Amino acid sequence: MMENQEKKKIVLSAIQPTGTPTLGNYLGALKNWKNMANDYNCLYAVADLHSITVRPEPADLRRRTLEMYALLLAIGLDPEKSIVFIQSMVPEHAQLAWILDCYTQFGEASRMTQFKDKSEKHPDNVNVGLFAYPVLMAADILLYQTDFVPIGADQKQHLEITRDIAERFNGLYGNTFKIPEPFIGKAGARVMSLQDPSKKMSKSDTNVKGFISMLDDDNVIMKKIKSAVTDSEARVYFGDGKDGVNNLMGIYSCCTGKSFEEIEQEFDGRGYGDFKTAVGEAVIEELRPVKEEYARLINDKAYLMQCAASGAEKASCFASRTLKKAMKKVGFIQLDK
Ligand code: ATP
Ligand code: LTN
């Protein structure tokens, strides 16, 4: 695909197969992935290497990786147009990550808030992989000479360290890596928990009422929206101290394309009951086609494996060019010229 579209900018992103993605993952990341697929040369990965930092059961990891892959196709990514692949099938990621580990300072990796949060959450398993996680992410991005990385706001710091590592390497050895820019969609960048709108919606939340999974049944979606935390004012507008309502407005705006002003007008003089029903219906409609396509794809394992094999082959073809370049600069002997 890339040969005849060489001028298009390159986009790469990835998502971990740590569970069924939430509405937050969808609105904050996946929906942008799909929207970018027409205008850019896109690579999208299931980041299974990243997800062993929390030691999943092997059978669960296998199942979830394939489910996540199916879901990426179900949101409408076309495997002929974009390169959709599974990270562990492209060995260049782990290879470049090791090199970049040696160009990342212990101090800068220690400052990553995700590392701090996750090591507090799982004090019994603070492994070196968790610490080096952002460096593997840097390798994912830098291998493809990526221009833009669509991510949710929580990953911004990882993009910054990626840029720092790339600049450092380029400074030492000459131009090797393109310096990537984050792409953070405005609406949906941070969808908050329905139960605690001061926290981001997360698929690993122990309170399942806090998040909507992309594959939740329609009635479950409606129930979760109806029980979302709001406030006692019963007026729909965006404002301070109205985190719950602000969050629902953000969700509604992403699903319908309406602006906040339009939403405020639509619900002027109406209570939260009407508003929540409308938000629930909008979310159900937004996810319906994805769920239908997913149900079809997940039963066609042969097709999924065929797409994954072809995606990995295409990704590896591009990744190996950058890896070779980096290995040569560092001083490794090359077998082929
Ligand atoms: P976990 O709960 O397992 O830590 P997660 O739900 O945060 O995971 P990731 O796999 O880490 O999800 O993230 C996938 C993508 O979704 C990233 O680009 C991330 O920025 C984005 N994302 C995650 N949660 C949200 C959210 N609540 N709002 C917007 N974007 C989000
Ligand atoms: N760390 C990211 C997932 C991820 C990623 C990437 C995102 C892994 N590699 C490369 C963008 C580009 C996360 O947890 N959301």
PDB file of all heavy atoms in Angstrom, residues 50-64:
ATOM      1  N   HIS A  50       3.539  -5.340  25.329  1.00  0.00           N
ATOM      2  CA  HIS A  50       3.353  -4.456  26.481  1.00  0.00           C
ATOM      3  C   HIS A  50       2.516  -5.109  27.573  1.00  0.00           C
ATOM      4  O   HIS A  50       2.709  -4.843  28.748  1.00  0.00           O
ATOM      5  CB  HIS A  50       2.651  -3.155  26.044  1.00  0.00           C
ATOM      6  CG  HIS A  50       3.575  -2.165  25.435  1.00  0.00           C
ATOM      7  ND1 HIS A  50       3.682  -1.982  24.079  1.00  0.00           N
ATOM      8  CD2 HIS A  50       4.454  -1.301  25.993  1.00  0.00           C
ATOM      9  CE1 HIS A  50       4.577  -1.037  23.828  1.00  0.00           C
ATOM     10  NE2 HIS A  50       5.058  -0.606  24.977  1.00  0.00           N
ATOM     11  N   SER A  51       1.585  -5.961  27.157  1.00  0.00           N
ATOM     12  CA  SER A  51       0.622  -6.418  28.172  1.00  0.00           C
ATOM     13  C   SER A  51       1.170  -7.528  29.060  1.00  0.00           C
ATOM     14  O   SER A  51       0.541  -7.844  30.062  1.00  0.00           O
ATOM     15  CB  SER A  51      -0.706  -6.806  27.524  1.00  0.00           C
ATOM     16  OG  SER A  51      -0.511  -7.915  26.714  1.00  0.00           O
ATOM     17  N   ILE A  52       2.346  -8.097  28.768  1.00  0.00           N
ATOM     18  CA  ILE A  52       2.863  -9.095  29.725  1.00  0.00           C
ATOM     19  C   ILE A  52       3.537  -8.453  30.941  1.00  0.00           C
ATOM     20  O   ILE A  52       3.976  -9.156  31.848  1.00  0.00           O
ATOM     21  CB  ILE A  52       3.796 -10.162  29.079  1.00  0.00           C
ATOM     22  CG1 ILE A  52       5.081  -9.555  28.533  1.00  0.00           C
ATOM     23  CG2 ILE A  52       3.059 -10.957  28.007  1.00  0.00           C
ATOM     24  CD1 ILE A  52       6.139 -10.626  28.206  1.00  0.00           C
ATOM     25  N   THR A  53       3.580  -7.115  30.975  1.00  0.00           N
ATOM     26  CA  THR A  53       4.103  -6.465  32.185  1.00  0.00           C
ATOM     27  C   THR A  53       3.202  -6.735  33.395  1.00  0.00           C
ATOM     28  O   THR A  53       3.625  -6.571  34.527  1.00  0.00           O
ATOM     29  CB  THR A  53       4.230  -4.933  31.999  1.00  0.00           C
ATOM     30  OG1 THR A  53       2.977  -4.437  31.547  1.00  0.00           O
ATOM     31  CG2 THR A  53       5.307  -4.568  31.001  1.00  0.00           C
ATOM     32  N   VAL A  54       1.949  -7.145  33.127  1.00  0.00           N
ATOM     33  CA  VAL A  54       1.054  -7.469  34.253  1.00  0.00           C
ATOM     34  C   VAL A  54       0.773  -8.977  34.351  1.00  0.00           C
ATOM     35  O   VAL A  54      -0.119  -9.395  35.070  1.00  0.00           O
ATOM     36  CB  VAL A  54      -0.281  -6.693  34.192  1.00  0.00           C
ATOM     37  CG1 VAL A  54      -0.050  -5.208  34.397  1.00  0.00           C
ATOM     38  CG2 VAL A  54      -1.009  -6.931  32.883  1.00  0.00           C
ATOM     39  N   ARG A  55       1.567  -9.782  33.690  1.00  0.00           N
ATOM     40  CA  ARG A  55       1.528 -11.245  33.717  1.00  0.00           C
ATOM     41  C   ARG A  55       0.133 -11.880  33.582  1.00  0.00           C
ATOM     42  O   ARG A  55      -0.397 -12.466  34.534  1.00  0.00           O
ATOM     43  CB  ARG A  55       2.190 -11.767  34.995  1.00  0.00           C
ATOM     44  CG  ARG A  55       2.646 -13.204  34.771  1.00  0.00           C
ATOM     45  CD  ARG A  55       3.463 -13.763  35.904  1.00  0.00           C
ATOM     46  NE  ARG A  55       4.588 -12.944  36.310  1.00  0.00           N
ATOM     47  CZ  ARG A  55       5.060 -12.916  37.565  1.00  0.00           C
ATOM     48  NH1 ARG A  55       4.485 -13.631  38.503  1.00  0.00           N
ATOM     49  NH2 ARG A  55       6.102 -12.177  37.852  1.00  0.00           N
ATOM     50  N   PRO A  56      -0.474 -11.759  32.388  1.00  0.00           N
ATOM     51  CA  PRO A  56      -1.776 -12.416  32.178  1.00  0.00           C
ATOM     52  C   PRO A  56      -1.616 -13.931  32.039  1.00  0.00           C
ATOM     53  O   PRO A  56      -0.511 -14.407  31.765  1.00  0.00           O
ATOM     54  CB  PRO A  56      -2.244 -11.822  30.845  1.00  0.00           C
ATOM     55  CG  PRO A  56      -0.992 -11.421  30.140  1.00  0.00           C
ATOM     56  CD  PRO A  56       0.010 -11.058  31.193  1.00  0.00           C
ATOM     57  N   GLU A  57      -2.702 -14.675  32.228  1.00  0.00           N
ATOM     58  CA  GLU A  57      -2.704 -16.115  31.941  1.00  0.00           C
ATOM     59  C   GLU A  57      -2.424 -16.275  30.446  1.00  0.00           C
ATOM     60  O   GLU A  57      -3.058 -15.590  29.631  1.00  0.00           O
ATOM     61  CB  GLU A  57      -4.093 -16.692  32.217  1.00  0.00           C
ATOM     62  CG  GLU A  57      -4.396 -16.960  33.674  1.00  0.00           C
ATOM     63  CD  GLU A  57      -3.473 -18.010  34.265  1.00  0.00           C
ATOM     64  OE1 GLU A  57      -3.108 -18.965  33.533  1.00  0.00           O
ATOM     65  OE2 GLU A  57      -3.103 -17.855  35.437  1.00  0.00           O
ATOM     66  N   PRO A  58      -1.541 -17.203  30.056  1.00  0.00           N
ATOM     67  CA  PRO A  58      -1.223 -17.345  28.625  1.00  0.00           C
ATOM     68  C   PRO A  58      -2.454 -17.551  27.742  1.00  0.00           C
ATOM     69  O   PRO A  58      -2.566 -16.929  26.672  1.00  0.00           O
ATOM     70  CB  PRO A  58      -0.299 -18.560  28.581  1.00  0.00           C
ATOM     71  CG  PRO A  58       0.319 -18.599  29.953  1.00  0.00           C
ATOM     72  CD  PRO A  58      -0.696 -18.067  30.899  1.00  0.00           C
ATOM     73  N   ALA A  59      -3.394 -18.389  28.191  1.00  0.00           N
ATOM     74  CA  ALA A  59      -4.578 -18.637  27.351  1.00  0.00           C
ATOM     75  C   ALA A  59      -5.414 -17.360  27.214  1.00  0.00           C
ATOM     76  O   ALA A  59      -5.963 -17.078  26.145  1.00  0.00           O
ATOM     77  CB  ALA A  59      -5.416 -19.767  27.945  1.00  0.00           C
ATOM     78  N   ASP A  60      -5.473 -16.592  28.309  1.00  0.00           N
ATOM     79  CA  ASP A  60      -6.237 -15.327  28.257  1.00  0.00           C
ATOM     80  C   ASP A  60      -5.577 -14.344  27.300  1.00  0.00           C
ATOM     81  O   ASP A  60      -6.246 -13.662  26.530  1.00  0.00           O
ATOM     82  CB  ASP A  60      -6.277 -14.665  29.643  1.00  0.00           C
ATOM     83  CG  ASP A  60      -7.267 -15.348  30.556  1.00  0.00           C
ATOM     84  OD1 ASP A  60      -8.078 -16.165  30.054  1.00  0.00           O
ATOM     85  OD2 ASP A  60      -7.214 -15.093  31.775  1.00  0.00           O
ATOM     86  N   LEU A  61      -4.251 -14.299  27.360  1.00  0.00           N
ATOM     87  CA  LEU A  61      -3.539 -13.361  26.487  1.00  0.00           C
ATOM     88  C   LEU A  61      -3.804 -13.706  25.017  1.00  0.00           C
ATOM     89  O   LEU A  61      -4.107 -12.829  24.204  1.00  0.00           O
ATOM     90  CB  LEU A  61      -2.034 -13.374  26.791  1.00  0.00           C
ATOM     91  CG  LEU A  61      -1.181 -12.473  25.893  1.00  0.00           C
ATOM     92  CD1 LEU A  61      -1.601 -11.008  25.976  1.00  0.00           C
ATOM     93  CD2 LEU A  61       0.306 -12.594  26.254  1.00  0.00           C
ATOM     94  N   ARG A  62      -3.712 -15.005  24.707  1.00  0.00           N
ATOM     95  CA  ARG A  62      -3.961 -15.434  23.314  1.00  0.00           C
ATOM     96  C   ARG A  62      -5.364 -15.040  22.866  1.00  0.00           C
ATOM     97  O   ARG A  62      -5.566 -14.485  21.801  1.00  0.00           O
ATOM     98  CB  ARG A  62      -3.833 -16.958  23.207  1.00  0.00           C
ATOM     99  CG  ARG A  62      -2.483 -17.421  22.682  1.00  0.00           C
ATOM    100  CD  ARG A  62      -2.497 -18.913  22.384  1.00  0.00           C
ATOM    101  NE  ARG A  62      -2.702 -19.745  23.570  1.00  0.00           N
ATOM    102  CZ  ARG A  62      -1.722 -20.103  24.398  1.00  0.00           C
ATOM    103  NH1 ARG A  62      -0.477 -19.738  24.171  1.00  0.00           N
ATOM    104  NH2 ARG A  62      -1.988 -20.839  25.467  1.00  0.00           N
ATOM    105  N   ARG A  63      -6.349 -15.344  23.719  1.00  0.00           N
ATOM    106  CA  ARG A  63      -7.747 -15.070  23.358  1.00  0.00           C
ATOM    107  C   ARG A  63      -7.971 -13.561  23.198  1.00  0.00           C
ATOM    108  O   ARG A  63      -8.516 -13.089  22.215  1.00  0.00           O
ATOM    109  CB  ARG A  63      -8.668 -15.636  24.447  1.00  0.00           C
ATOM    110  CG  ARG A  63     -10.157 -15.394  24.217  1.00  0.00           C
ATOM    111  CD  ARG A  63     -11.029 -16.035  25.302  1.00  0.00           C
ATOM    112  NE  ARG A  63     -10.598 -15.711  26.656  1.00  0.00           N
ATOM    113  CZ  ARG A  63     -10.855 -14.589  27.298  1.00  0.00           C
ATOM    114  NH1 ARG A  63     -11.556 -13.635  26.711  1.00  0.00           N
ATOM    115  NH2 ARG A  63     -10.426 -14.390  28.533  1.00  0.00           N
ATOM    116  N   ARG A  64      -7.464 -12.808  24.165  1.00  0.00           N
ATOM    117  CA  ARG A  64      -7.708 -11.358  24.124  1.00  0.00           C
ATOM    118  C   ARG A  64      -6.997 -10.688  22.957  1.00  0.00           C
ATOM    119  O   ARG A  64      -7.473  -9.695  22.427  1.00  0.00           O
ATOM    120  CB  ARG A  64      -7.228 -10.720  25.428  1.00  0.00           C
ATOM    121  CG  ARG A  64      -8.164 -11.017  26.560  1.00  0.00           C
ATOM    122  CD  ARG A  64      -7.749 -10.224  27.743  1.00  0.00           C
ATOM    123  NE  ARG A  64      -8.646 -10.434  28.862  1.00  0.00           N
ATOM    124  CZ  ARG A  64      -8.263 -10.361  30.126  1.00  0.00           C
ATOM    125  NH1 ARG A  64      -7.013 -10.080  30.411  1.00  0.00           N
ATOM    126  NH2 ARG A  64      -9.131 -10.535  31.084  1.00  0.00           N
TER     127      ARG A  64
END
